[in-house]
mmCIF file with all atom_site columns, all heavy atoms in Angstrom:
data_model
loop_
_atom_site.group_PDB
_atom_site.id
_atom_site.type_symbol
_atom_site.label_atom_id
_atom_site.label_alt_id
_atom_site.label_comp_id
_atom_site.label_asym_id
_atom_site.label_entity_id
_atom_site.label_seq_id
_atom_site.pdbx_PDB_ins_code
_atom_site.Cartn_x
_atom_site.Cartn_y
_atom_site.Cartn_z
_atom_site.occupancy
_atom_site.B_iso_or_equiv
_atom_site.pdbx_formal_charge
_atom_site.auth_seq_id
_atom_site.auth_comp_id
_atom_site.auth_asym_id
_atom_site.auth_atom_id
_atom_site.pdbx_PDB_model_num
ATOM 1   N N   . VAL J 1 5  ? 11.993 4.220   -11.823 1.00 98.00 ? 114 VAL J N   1
ATOM 2   C CA  . VAL J 1 5  ? 11.892 2.815   -11.444 1.00 98.00 ? 114 VAL J CA  1
ATOM 3   C C   . VAL J 1 5  ? 12.151 2.701   -9.950  1.00 98.00 ? 114 VAL J C   1
ATOM 4   O O   . VAL J 1 5  ? 13.182 3.168   -9.453  1.00 98.00 ? 114 VAL J O   1
ATOM 5   C CB  . VAL J 1 5  ? 12.907 1.957   -12.230 1.00 98.00 ? 114 VAL J CB  1
ATOM 6   C CG1 . VAL J 1 5  ? 12.875 0.510   -11.741 1.00 98.00 ? 114 VAL J CG1 1
ATOM 7   C CG2 . VAL J 1 5  ? 12.612 2.019   -13.723 1.00 98.00 ? 114 VAL J CG2 1
ATOM 8   N N   . LEU J 1 6  ? 11.188 2.103   -9.243  1.00 98.00 ? 115 LEU J N   1
ATOM 9   C CA  . LEU J 1 6  ? 11.318 1.889   -7.806  1.00 98.00 ? 115 LEU J CA  1
ATOM 10  C C   . LEU J 1 6  ? 11.527 0.406   -7.533  1.00 98.00 ? 115 LEU J C   1
ATOM 11  O O   . LEU J 1 6  ? 10.721 -0.428  -7.961  1.00 98.00 ? 115 LEU J O   1
ATOM 12  C CB  . LEU J 1 6  ? 10.066 2.383   -7.074  1.00 98.00 ? 115 LEU J CB  1
ATOM 13  C CG  . LEU J 1 6  ? 9.731  3.857   -7.228  1.00 98.00 ? 115 LEU J CG  1
ATOM 14  C CD1 . LEU J 1 6  ? 8.467  4.197   -6.456  1.00 98.00 ? 115 LEU J CD1 1
ATOM 15  C CD2 . LEU J 1 6  ? 10.888 4.735   -6.763  1.00 98.00 ? 115 LEU J CD2 1
ATOM 16  N N   . PHE J 1 7  ? 12.590 0.081   -6.838  1.00 98.00 ? 116 PHE J N   1
ATOM 17  C CA  . PHE J 1 7  ? 12.953 -1.292  -6.511  1.00 98.00 ? 116 PHE J CA  1
ATOM 18  C C   . PHE J 1 7  ? 12.602 -1.512  -5.047  1.00 98.00 ? 116 PHE J C   1
ATOM 19  O O   . PHE J 1 7  ? 13.260 -0.972  -4.153  1.00 98.00 ? 116 PHE J O   1
ATOM 20  C CB  . PHE J 1 7  ? 14.443 -1.483  -6.771  1.00 98.00 ? 116 PHE J CB  1
ATOM 21  C CG  . PHE J 1 7  ? 14.957 -2.887  -6.634  1.00 98.00 ? 116 PHE J CG  1
ATOM 22  C CD1 . PHE J 1 7  ? 14.849 -3.785  -7.679  1.00 98.00 ? 116 PHE J CD1 1
ATOM 23  C CD2 . PHE J 1 7  ? 15.592 -3.291  -5.469  1.00 98.00 ? 116 PHE J CD2 1
ATOM 24  C CE1 . PHE J 1 7  ? 15.348 -5.073  -7.565  1.00 98.00 ? 116 PHE J CE1 1
ATOM 25  C CE2 . PHE J 1 7  ? 16.103 -4.577  -5.347  1.00 98.00 ? 116 PHE J CE2 1
ATOM 26  C CZ  . PHE J 1 7  ? 15.977 -5.472  -6.398  1.00 98.00 ? 116 PHE J CZ  1
ATOM 27  N N   . LEU J 1 8  ? 11.532 -2.253  -4.787  1.00 97.00 ? 117 LEU J N   1
ATOM 28  C CA  . LEU J 1 8  ? 10.992 -2.388  -3.435  1.00 97.00 ? 117 LEU J CA  1
ATOM 29  C C   . LEU J 1 8  ? 11.664 -3.533  -2.691  1.00 97.00 ? 117 LEU J C   1
ATOM 30  O O   . LEU J 1 8  ? 11.748 -4.654  -3.201  1.00 97.00 ? 117 LEU J O   1
ATOM 31  C CB  . LEU J 1 8  ? 9.492  -2.656  -3.483  1.00 97.00 ? 117 LEU J CB  1
ATOM 32  C CG  . LEU J 1 8  ? 8.563  -1.470  -3.741  1.00 97.00 ? 117 LEU J CG  1
ATOM 33  C CD1 . LEU J 1 8  ? 8.650  -1.021  -5.191  1.00 97.00 ? 117 LEU J CD1 1
ATOM 34  C CD2 . LEU J 1 8  ? 7.131  -1.840  -3.388  1.00 97.00 ? 117 LEU J CD2 1
ATOM 35  N N   . THR J 1 9  ? 12.103 -3.245  -1.473  1.00 96.00 ? 118 THR J N   1
ATOM 36  C CA  . THR J 1 9  ? 12.696 -4.294  -0.660  1.00 96.00 ? 118 THR J CA  1
ATOM 37  C C   . THR J 1 9  ? 12.472 -4.037  0.824   1.00 96.00 ? 118 THR J C   1
ATOM 38  O O   . THR J 1 9  ? 12.421 -2.896  1.271   1.00 96.00 ? 118 THR J O   1
ATOM 39  C CB  . THR J 1 9  ? 14.205 -4.440  -0.954  1.00 96.00 ? 118 THR J CB  1
ATOM 40  O OG1 . THR J 1 9  ? 14.733 -5.541  -0.210  1.00 96.00 ? 118 THR J OG1 1
ATOM 41  C CG2 . THR J 1 9  ? 14.974 -3.173  -0.610  1.00 96.00 ? 118 THR J CG2 1
ATOM 42  N N   . HIS J 1 10 ? 12.347 -5.132  1.550   1.00 93.00 ? 119 HIS J N   1
ATOM 43  C CA  . HIS J 1 10 ? 12.356 -5.067  3.012   1.00 93.00 ? 119 HIS J CA  1
ATOM 44  C C   . HIS J 1 10 ? 13.535 -5.863  3.568   1.00 93.00 ? 119 HIS J C   1
ATOM 45  O O   . HIS J 1 10 ? 13.590 -6.144  4.762   1.00 93.00 ? 119 HIS J O   1
ATOM 46  C CB  . HIS J 1 10 ? 11.034 -5.613  3.579   1.00 93.00 ? 119 HIS J CB  1
ATOM 47  C CG  . HIS J 1 10 ? 10.793 -7.065  3.276   1.00 93.00 ? 119 HIS J CG  1
ATOM 48  N ND1 . HIS J 1 10 ? 10.389 -7.499  2.041   1.00 93.00 ? 119 HIS J ND1 1
ATOM 49  C CD2 . HIS J 1 10 ? 10.927 -8.170  4.042   1.00 93.00 ? 119 HIS J CD2 1
ATOM 50  C CE1 . HIS J 1 10 ? 10.272 -8.820  2.059   1.00 93.00 ? 119 HIS J CE1 1
ATOM 51  N NE2 . HIS J 1 10 ? 10.597 -9.242  3.269   1.00 93.00 ? 119 HIS J NE2 1
ATOM 52  N N   . GLN J 1 11 ? 14.460 -6.218  2.663   1.00 91.00 ? 120 GLN J N   1
ATOM 53  C CA  . GLN J 1 11 ? 15.656 -6.952  3.053   1.00 91.00 ? 120 GLN J CA  1
ATOM 54  C C   . GLN J 1 11 ? 16.883 -6.259  2.467   1.00 91.00 ? 120 GLN J C   1
ATOM 55  O O   . GLN J 1 11 ? 16.794 -5.546  1.471   1.00 91.00 ? 120 GLN J O   1
ATOM 56  C CB  . GLN J 1 11 ? 15.607 -8.392  2.534   1.00 91.00 ? 120 GLN J CB  1
ATOM 57  C CG  . GLN J 1 11 ? 14.449 -9.220  3.049   1.00 91.00 ? 120 GLN J CG  1
ATOM 58  C CD  . GLN J 1 11 ? 14.442 -10.618 2.442   1.00 91.00 ? 120 GLN J CD  1
ATOM 59  O OE1 . GLN J 1 11 ? 15.461 -11.093 1.942   1.00 91.00 ? 120 GLN J OE1 1
ATOM 60  N NE2 . GLN J 1 11 ? 13.296 -11.272 2.501   1.00 91.00 ? 120 GLN J NE2 1
ATOM 61  N N   . SER J 1 12 ? 18.031 -6.513  3.106   1.00 92.00 ? 121 SER J N   1
ATOM 62  C CA  . SER J 1 12 ? 19.286 -5.966  2.621   1.00 92.00 ? 121 SER J CA  1
ATOM 63  C C   . SER J 1 12 ? 20.336 -7.065  2.624   1.00 92.00 ? 121 SER J C   1
ATOM 64  O O   . SER J 1 12 ? 20.661 -7.611  3.684   1.00 92.00 ? 121 SER J O   1
ATOM 65  C CB  . SER J 1 12 ? 19.750 -4.813  3.503   1.00 92.00 ? 121 SER J CB  1
ATOM 66  O OG  . SER J 1 12 ? 21.062 -4.417  3.170   1.00 92.00 ? 121 SER J OG  1
ATOM 67  N N   . ASN J 1 13 ? 20.820 -7.437  1.437   1.00 93.00 ? 122 ASN J N   1
ATOM 68  C CA  . ASN J 1 13 ? 21.972 -8.326  1.340   1.00 93.00 ? 122 ASN J CA  1
ATOM 69  C C   . ASN J 1 13 ? 22.661 -8.066  0.008   1.00 93.00 ? 122 ASN J C   1
ATOM 70  O O   . ASN J 1 13 ? 22.158 -7.319  -0.833  1.00 93.00 ? 122 ASN J O   1
ATOM 71  C CB  . ASN J 1 13 ? 21.587 -9.803  1.517   1.00 93.00 ? 122 ASN J CB  1
ATOM 72  C CG  . ASN J 1 13 ? 20.624 -10.298 0.464   1.00 93.00 ? 122 ASN J CG  1
ATOM 73  O OD1 . ASN J 1 13 ? 20.822 -10.061 -0.729  1.00 93.00 ? 122 ASN J OD1 1
ATOM 74  N ND2 . ASN J 1 13 ? 19.574 -10.990 0.902   1.00 93.00 ? 122 ASN J ND2 1
ATOM 75  N N   . ALA J 1 14 ? 23.816 -8.688  -0.179  1.00 95.00 ? 123 ALA J N   1
ATOM 76  C CA  . ALA J 1 14 ? 24.638 -8.382  -1.349  1.00 95.00 ? 123 ALA J CA  1
ATOM 77  C C   . ALA J 1 14 ? 23.941 -8.725  -2.650  1.00 95.00 ? 123 ALA J C   1
ATOM 78  O O   . ALA J 1 14 ? 24.046 -7.981  -3.639  1.00 95.00 ? 123 ALA J O   1
ATOM 79  C CB  . ALA J 1 14 ? 25.970 -9.120  -1.254  1.00 95.00 ? 123 ALA J CB  1
ATOM 80  N N   . SER J 1 15 ? 23.207 -9.834  -2.709  1.00 95.00 ? 124 SER J N   1
ATOM 81  C CA  . SER J 1 15 ? 22.566 -10.223 -3.961  1.00 95.00 ? 124 SER J CA  1
ATOM 82  C C   . SER J 1 15 ? 21.425 -9.286  -4.338  1.00 95.00 ? 124 SER J C   1
ATOM 83  O O   . SER J 1 15 ? 21.215 -8.994  -5.520  1.00 95.00 ? 124 SER J O   1
ATOM 84  C CB  . SER J 1 15 ? 22.062 -11.666 -3.885  1.00 95.00 ? 124 SER J CB  1
ATOM 85  O OG  . SER J 1 15 ? 21.052 -11.811 -2.903  1.00 95.00 ? 124 SER J OG  1
ATOM 86  N N   . ILE J 1 16 ? 20.702 -8.780  -3.356  1.00 96.00 ? 125 ILE J N   1
ATOM 87  C CA  . ILE J 1 16 ? 19.639 -7.817  -3.628  1.00 96.00 ? 125 ILE J CA  1
ATOM 88  C C   . ILE J 1 16 ? 20.233 -6.509  -4.150  1.00 96.00 ? 125 ILE J C   1
ATOM 89  O O   . ILE J 1 16 ? 19.737 -5.918  -5.116  1.00 96.00 ? 125 ILE J O   1
ATOM 90  C CB  . ILE J 1 16 ? 18.788 -7.586  -2.365  1.00 96.00 ? 125 ILE J CB  1
ATOM 91  C CG1 . ILE J 1 16 ? 17.961 -8.840  -2.057  1.00 96.00 ? 125 ILE J CG1 1
ATOM 92  C CG2 . ILE J 1 16 ? 17.875 -6.370  -2.541  1.00 96.00 ? 125 ILE J CG2 1
ATOM 93  C CD1 . ILE J 1 16 ? 17.205 -8.771  -0.744  1.00 96.00 ? 125 ILE J CD1 1
ATOM 94  N N   . ILE J 1 17 ? 21.308 -6.055  -3.513  1.00 96.00 ? 126 ILE J N   1
ATOM 95  C CA  . ILE J 1 17 ? 21.961 -4.825  -3.966  1.00 96.00 ? 126 ILE J CA  1
ATOM 96  C C   . ILE J 1 17 ? 22.532 -5.000  -5.367  1.00 96.00 ? 126 ILE J C   1
ATOM 97  O O   . ILE J 1 17 ? 22.404 -4.116  -6.228  1.00 96.00 ? 126 ILE J O   1
ATOM 98  C CB  . ILE J 1 17 ? 23.038 -4.402  -2.952  1.00 96.00 ? 126 ILE J CB  1
ATOM 99  C CG1 . ILE J 1 17 ? 22.376 -3.957  -1.645  1.00 96.00 ? 126 ILE J CG1 1
ATOM 100 C CG2 . ILE J 1 17 ? 23.900 -3.277  -3.521  1.00 96.00 ? 126 ILE J CG2 1
ATOM 101 C CD1 . ILE J 1 17 ? 23.342 -3.715  -0.508  1.00 96.00 ? 126 ILE J CD1 1
ATOM 102 N N   . ASP J 1 18 ? 23.130 -6.153  -5.644  1.00 96.00 ? 127 ASP J N   1
ATOM 103 C CA  . ASP J 1 18 ? 23.641 -6.428  -6.988  1.00 96.00 ? 127 ASP J CA  1
ATOM 104 C C   . ASP J 1 18 ? 22.510 -6.429  -8.012  1.00 96.00 ? 127 ASP J C   1
ATOM 105 O O   . ASP J 1 18 ? 22.684 -5.954  -9.144  1.00 96.00 ? 127 ASP J O   1
ATOM 106 C CB  . ASP J 1 18 ? 24.365 -7.772  -7.020  1.00 96.00 ? 127 ASP J CB  1
ATOM 107 C CG  . ASP J 1 18 ? 25.708 -7.733  -6.312  1.00 96.00 ? 127 ASP J CG  1
ATOM 108 O OD1 . ASP J 1 18 ? 26.206 -6.622  -6.028  1.00 96.00 ? 127 ASP J OD1 1
ATOM 109 O OD2 . ASP J 1 18 ? 26.254 -8.822  -6.032  1.00 96.00 ? 127 ASP J OD2 1
ATOM 110 N N   . HIS J 1 19 ? 21.376 -6.981  -7.623  1.00 97.00 ? 128 HIS J N   1
ATOM 111 C CA  . HIS J 1 19 ? 20.213 -7.003  -8.515  1.00 97.00 ? 128 HIS J CA  1
ATOM 112 C C   . HIS J 1 19 ? 19.789 -5.577  -8.868  1.00 97.00 ? 128 HIS J C   1
ATOM 113 O O   . HIS J 1 19 ? 19.565 -5.243  -10.041 1.00 97.00 ? 128 HIS J O   1
ATOM 114 C CB  . HIS J 1 19 ? 19.073 -7.757  -7.834  1.00 97.00 ? 128 HIS J CB  1
ATOM 115 C CG  . HIS J 1 19 ? 17.894 -8.032  -8.693  1.00 97.00 ? 128 HIS J CG  1
ATOM 116 N ND1 . HIS J 1 19 ? 16.746 -8.630  -8.214  1.00 97.00 ? 128 HIS J ND1 1
ATOM 117 C CD2 . HIS J 1 19 ? 17.646 -7.792  -10.012 1.00 97.00 ? 128 HIS J CD2 1
ATOM 118 C CE1 . HIS J 1 19 ? 15.864 -8.746  -9.188  1.00 97.00 ? 128 HIS J CE1 1
ATOM 119 N NE2 . HIS J 1 19 ? 16.379 -8.243  -10.284 1.00 97.00 ? 128 HIS J NE2 1
ATOM 120 N N   . PHE J 1 20 ? 19.682 -4.729  -7.868  1.00 97.00 ? 129 PHE J N   1
ATOM 121 C CA  . PHE J 1 20 ? 19.333 -3.325  -8.122  1.00 97.00 ? 129 PHE J CA  1
ATOM 122 C C   . PHE J 1 20 ? 20.348 -2.661  -9.039  1.00 97.00 ? 129 PHE J C   1
ATOM 123 O O   . PHE J 1 20 ? 19.999 -1.975  -10.002 1.00 97.00 ? 129 PHE J O   1
ATOM 124 C CB  . PHE J 1 20 ? 19.237 -2.576  -6.804  1.00 97.00 ? 129 PHE J CB  1
ATOM 125 C CG  . PHE J 1 20 ? 19.084 -1.091  -6.958  1.00 97.00 ? 129 PHE J CG  1
ATOM 126 C CD1 . PHE J 1 20 ? 17.860 -0.536  -7.292  1.00 97.00 ? 129 PHE J CD1 1
ATOM 127 C CD2 . PHE J 1 20 ? 20.173 -0.244  -6.778  1.00 97.00 ? 129 PHE J CD2 1
ATOM 128 C CE1 . PHE J 1 20 ? 17.712 0.840   -7.445  1.00 97.00 ? 129 PHE J CE1 1
ATOM 129 C CE2 . PHE J 1 20 ? 20.035 1.132   -6.919  1.00 97.00 ? 129 PHE J CE2 1
ATOM 130 C CZ  . PHE J 1 20 ? 18.801 1.674   -7.265  1.00 97.00 ? 129 PHE J CZ  1
ATOM 131 N N   . ASP J 1 21 ? 21.623 -2.871  -8.753  1.00 97.00 ? 130 ASP J N   1
ATOM 132 C CA  . ASP J 1 21 ? 22.679 -2.234  -9.543  1.00 97.00 ? 130 ASP J CA  1
ATOM 133 C C   . ASP J 1 21 ? 22.649 -2.687  -10.999 1.00 97.00 ? 130 ASP J C   1
ATOM 134 O O   . ASP J 1 21 ? 23.070 -1.942  -11.899 1.00 97.00 ? 130 ASP J O   1
ATOM 135 C CB  . ASP J 1 21 ? 24.050 -2.551  -8.946  1.00 97.00 ? 130 ASP J CB  1
ATOM 136 C CG  . ASP J 1 21 ? 24.301 -1.837  -7.623  1.00 97.00 ? 130 ASP J CG  1
ATOM 137 O OD1 . ASP J 1 21 ? 23.571 -0.873  -7.316  1.00 97.00 ? 130 ASP J OD1 1
ATOM 138 O OD2 . ASP J 1 21 ? 25.228 -2.256  -6.896  1.00 97.00 ? 130 ASP J OD2 1
ATOM 139 N N   . SER J 1 22 ? 22.153 -3.898  -11.251 1.00 96.00 ? 131 SER J N   1
ATOM 140 C CA  . SER J 1 22 ? 22.164 -4.450  -12.616 1.00 96.00 ? 131 SER J CA  1
ATOM 141 C C   . SER J 1 22 ? 21.054 -3.897  -13.500 1.00 96.00 ? 131 SER J C   1
ATOM 142 O O   . SER J 1 22 ? 21.053 -4.143  -14.710 1.00 96.00 ? 131 SER J O   1
ATOM 143 C CB  . SER J 1 22 ? 22.037 -5.971  -12.559 1.00 96.00 ? 131 SER J CB  1
ATOM 144 O OG  . SER J 1 22 ? 20.717 -6.374  -12.220 1.00 96.00 ? 131 SER J OG  1
ATOM 145 N N   . ILE J 1 23 ? 20.101 -3.175  -12.932 1.00 98.00 ? 132 ILE J N   1
ATOM 146 C CA  . ILE J 1 23 ? 18.966 -2.675  -13.713 1.00 98.00 ? 132 ILE J CA  1
ATOM 147 C C   . ILE J 1 23 ? 19.415 -1.482  -14.545 1.00 98.00 ? 132 ILE J C   1
ATOM 148 O O   . ILE J 1 23 ? 19.678 -0.393  -14.023 1.00 98.00 ? 132 ILE J O   1
ATOM 149 C CB  . ILE J 1 23 ? 17.791 -2.291  -12.794 1.00 98.00 ? 132 ILE J CB  1
ATOM 150 C CG1 . ILE J 1 23 ? 17.282 -3.525  -12.046 1.00 98.00 ? 132 ILE J CG1 1
ATOM 151 C CG2 . ILE J 1 23 ? 16.661 -1.666  -13.601 1.00 98.00 ? 132 ILE J CG2 1
ATOM 152 C CD1 . ILE J 1 23 ? 16.192 -3.222  -11.035 1.00 98.00 ? 132 ILE J CD1 1
ATOM 153 N N   . GLU J 1 24 ? 19.508 -1.687  -15.848 1.00 98.00 ? 133 GLU J N   1
ATOM 154 C CA  . GLU J 1 24 ? 19.920 -0.641  -16.776 1.00 98.00 ? 133 GLU J CA  1
ATOM 155 C C   . GLU J 1 24 ? 18.687 0.088   -17.288 1.00 98.00 ? 133 GLU J C   1
ATOM 156 O O   . GLU J 1 24 ? 17.677 -0.536  -17.636 1.00 98.00 ? 133 GLU J O   1
ATOM 157 C CB  . GLU J 1 24 ? 20.699 -1.245  -17.942 1.00 98.00 ? 133 GLU J CB  1
ATOM 158 C CG  . GLU J 1 24 ? 21.298 -0.222  -18.889 1.00 98.00 ? 133 GLU J CG  1
ATOM 159 C CD  . GLU J 1 24 ? 22.058 -0.861  -20.037 1.00 98.00 ? 133 GLU J CD  1
ATOM 160 O OE1 . GLU J 1 24 ? 22.087 -2.111  -20.119 1.00 98.00 ? 133 GLU J OE1 1
ATOM 161 O OE2 . GLU J 1 24 ? 22.609 -0.103  -20.866 1.00 98.00 ? 133 GLU J OE2 1
#
Side-chain angles (χ1 to χ4, degrees):
V114 175
L115 300 180
F116 187 83
L117 282 73
T118 184
H119 63 284
Q120 299 178 20
S121 171
N122 61 47
S124 64
I125 290 173
I126 292 171
D127 287 346
H128 188 184
F129 172 78
D130 289 344
S131 74
I132 297 176
E133 186 180 2

